[in-house]
Amino acid sequence: MKNLLMKPVLLNDVEFKVSQAMTSEKEWNWIAPQHGHIEHAANYYESSLADWHQFESLQTDLECDVLVIGGGLLGASTALHLAEQGVDTVLVEKNRIGSGASGRNGGQLTPGLARWEAEEMIEQLSHADAKKLWQFTSTEAMQLIDSILARYQIDAARKHGHITAAVHEGHLVALTQGADARKYLGENHTQVVGKHELYEYVKSDRYFGGLVDRLGGHIHPLALNRGLIYGFCQQGGQVYEHTEVVSIQEREDGIYVQTNTGCIKARKSVVLAVHHASFKLLEQKNQTTIPFYTYVCTTAPLNIELKQLLPQDHPVYDTQFQIDYYRGVSNNRLLFGGQGTGTCWNAEKTAQYLKGRILHVFPQLEQVELDFVWSGTTDLTVNGATDSRKSGDKFPVYAVHGWSGHGVAQTVRIGKAIADDFCGQPDDFEMLTQIQHQDILWGRALAPLVIPMAKGFYGVGAAMNPGKMVSF
């Protein structure tokens, strides 16, 4: 496998094709009809990469030291960092590598722990702990991605710089306070700019200024995900796709993990890197997250140059309650995302909404058309930080939930923290497990009701006090 597996290869543009991942009712892909009537089309990320290796499913029983369940960014990063430290590691994925949220997100790299940014950390933690956590989720997270890409020579379209654009002049106060909090914690990569200076970065009249963040950036998340798996295999790791875990049982000599095609005995540990299945597999009643659905599109090649919209090629997200986020991608296309819903929208409704948002931000794109639209799933916690857990009587079981649609870079960094904890360096992961989380009774089952109620509550607050920045 080490010699046969190739690195992810970025295409100059896209190939409209059938997705190699299995279909999912709540994670759908759509392409414009003029590109063919493909029943299960690939989304933009898969379409902009050359076809990649398909791993076999597990066909026999086996043993390893650590089993990683889930082939997204968290699982791939954990597996890579375990293998780099000489740990006998196996990774299983029920679908294909990066088929879930890790290969369906906006691709923006921003600091923070889900919805926890510097100010929240200062409010909740001592200065020393807040500083440590902020560095972990900002500078360290970005540097880790860059070091992995360099070490394995992976091209993942990594670019630097990020913009938070203020939709109300009052939001500049909150952005300034956020920048000040970051400086207080020892990180100084930001600059608050006014309306006219922001226009040099974003050619839209909708904003009153914003925060220019030199630390953030953007990336092709599926290329990153595949790159992590490539590195894992180079270190001797084993990967099995189309291998779904159905039960986990701890015994005296290890953890026995039953899949749909065989049993794996993990002699020392299991890592659950599977947002939605963790609670079921662990059979824990204290559920701390609510799932919700997100939506992204990419345009057809624009009839004006991307530099006329985003001269510095910085990705953007704004400060409205239901944020817009966007960035330039290959062949003069604009990737644009937004919304978070408790029930999954269909492709037609999503395309109409996202196209409307694009025209709101950039009315100069009168003839814009969408080539790709797709949905994704994520989850959130009550306090806004990710829920990192370590359980098990004799053998540790790791799990992380509650990304709130934020955290490409942090997911990779937490994967390393899990590997380090297993290898006897517990400081980073212990720091994450100290964050307290509130149980949400029936939260996952009632998401279709809870999400719109919460959005309605915060939306009314935002309407009554538009100068107060509350983003979802």
Side-chain angles (χ1 to χ4, degrees):
M1 179 62 62
K2 178 178 178 179
N3 296 323
L4 294 177
L5 184 65
M6 70 176 187
K7 301 174 186 178
V9 176
L10 294 168
L11 302 175
N12 291 329
D13 188 23
V14 298
E15 294 177 352
F16 296 97
K17 56 189 177 183
V18 175
S19 175
Q20 294 181 346
M22 295 184 296
T23 60
S24 171
E25 179 184 356
K26 302 300 183 182
E27 293 180 332
W28 48 258
N29 302 329
W30 174 93
I31 62 171
Q34 62 266 30
H35 301 301
H37 295 280
I38 301 175
E39 185 172 347
H40 181 47
N43 69 11
Y44 167 78
Y45 292 129
E46 189 178 356
S47 297
S48 58
L49 287 169
D51 288 344
W52 199 55
H53 187 86
Q54 296 195 48
F55 296 94
E56 295 181 353
S57 61
L58 180 69
Q59 297 298 329
T60 185
D61 296 348
L62 57 81
E63 294 188 16
C64 60
D65 283 340
V66 179
L67 175 64
V68 177
I69 303 171
L73 289 168
L74 179 64
S77 176
T78 305
L80 169 62
H81 289 100
L82 285 168
E84 286 183 337
Q85 298 184 68
V87 179
D88 174 22
T89 306
V90 171
L91 181 147
V92 295
E93 162 59 45
K94 71 175 183 179
N95 196 335
R96 291 215 65 212
I97 297 301
S99 58
S102 293
R104 309 179 71 83
N105 60 74
Q108 298 200 16
L109 302 177
T110 56
L113 187 65
R115 286 182 289 122
W116 259 26
E117 298 190 8
E119 287 185 279
E120 286 75 19
M121 294 180 188
I122 291 169
E123 291 173 0
Q124 299 294 329
L125 307 170
S126 69
H127 179 263
D129 290 343
K131 183 175 181 179
K132 180 182 177 183
L133 182 58
W134 181 254
Q135 294 295 328
F136 176 92
T137 62
S138 58
T139 308
E140 292 179 22
M142 305 303 170
Q143 290 176 344
L144 179 61
I145 284 181
D146 290 336
S147 68
I148 293 170
L149 296 179
R151 185 158 65 249
Y152 294 100
Q153 297 183 312
I154 303 298
D155 182 3
R158 168 75 161 106
K159 298 181 181 179
H160 296 264
H162 189 276
I163 300 290
T164 305
V167 299
H168 189 280
E169 58 185 346
H171 295 175
L172 292 173
V173 175
L175 293 179
T176 302
Q177 291 171 341
D180 180 65
R182 290 171 64 166
K183 292 177 184 178
Y184 179 66
L185 296 181
E187 181 266 300
N188 185 17
H189 292 87
T190 57
Q191 177 187 4
V192 178
V193 299
K195 181 180 182 70
H196 301 298
E197 191 171 354
L198 183 68
Y199 198 75
E200 297 302 313
Y201 295 88
V202 187
K203 297 298 185 183
S204 174
D205 292 322
R206 304 300 182 187
Y207 305 124
F208 292 84
L211 181 76
V212 180
D213 181 358
R214 299 183 301 278
L215 182 63
H218 54 133
I219 201 165
H220 192 300
L222 184 56
L224 171 62
N225 201 158
R226 291 180 178 181
L228 295 171
I229 292 294
Y230 170 83
F232 174 55
C233 292
Q234 295 303 300
Q235 296 293 335
Q238 300 178 64
V239 178
Y240 296 94
E241 293 181 319
H242 304 298
T243 302
E244 183 173 5
V245 171
V246 295
S247 67
I248 298 174
Q249 183 180 24
E250 182 177 341
R251 301 179 188 173
E252 282 297 316
D253 58 342
I255 303 175
Y256 286 75
V257 178
Q258 187 65 48
T259 77
N260 54 349
T261 53
C263 183
I264 302 174
K265 175 187 173 183
R267 293 183 290 262
K268 297 181 179 179
S269 180
V270 165
V271 178
L272 290 171
V274 285
H275 293 266
H276 311 293
S278 296
F279 297 107
K280 179 181 179 181
L281 291 173
L282 292 176
E283 298 181 351
Q284 293 184 349
K285 295 181 180 179
N286 56 328
Q287 299 183 9
T288 56
T289 65
I290 294 178
F292 67 96
Y293 302 95
T294 61
Y295 310 94
V296 191
C297 71
T298 53
T299 67
L302 301 176
N303 56 8
I304 64 174
E305 290 296 319
L306 263 173
K307 287 188 176 181
Q308 296 183 44
L309 304 178
L310 301 169
Q312 310 297 326
D313 199 22
H314 283 13
V316 179
Y317 66 73
D318 67 18
T319 62
Q320 66 175 329
F321 171 67
Q322 188 67 72
I323 68 170
D324 294 328
Y325 56 89
Y326 48 90
R327 62 192 182 94
V329 290
S330 62
N331 198 27
N332 209 49
R333 298 175 184 274
L334 184 70
L335 181 148
F336 198 103
Q339 268 294 349
T341 61
T343 55
C344 189
W345 285 1
N346 61 31
E348 181 180 359
K349 182 176 182 179
T350 304
Q352 183 180 13
Y353 171 81
L354 291 176
K355 186 174 180 178
R357 294 308 307 167
I358 292 173
L359 292 174
H360 174 81
V361 176
F362 296 116
Q364 60 268 49
L365 294 177
E366 296 178 357
Q367 306 301 319
V368 67
E369 297 295 338
L370 307 184
D371 270 354
F372 297 88
V373 184
W374 65 94
S375 68
T377 54
T378 186
D379 51 7
L380 56 86
T381 59
V382 172
N383 69 1
T386 55
D387 181 1
S388 300
R389 303 185 181 193
K390 181 180 177 182
S391 59
D393 296 329
K394 184 176 180 182
F395 307 101
V397 176
Y398 299 89
V400 184
H401 322 273
W403 290 105
S404 300
H406 303 272
V408 171
Q410 296 74 18
T411 308
V412 177
R413 182 64 184 88
I414 290 178
K416 182 179 186 301
I418 293 173
D420 289 344
D421 184 88
F422 175 81
C423 294
Q425 302 171 50
D427 288 357
D428 288 336
F429 197 73
E430 281 188 358
M431 169 181 64
L432 298 172
T433 62
Q434 295 305 307
I435 298 172
Q436 298 298 308
H437 289 275
Q438 180 179 335
D439 294 348
I440 306 173
L441 184 64
W442 305 108
R444 301 189 70 80
L446 296 179
L449 297 176
V450 173
I451 294 293
M453 287 175 61
K455 288 174 64 177
F457 173 77
Y458 284 110
V460 169
M464 294 178 63
N465 187 5
K468 181 180 180 181
M469 192 174 78
V470 180
S471 295
F472 179 75

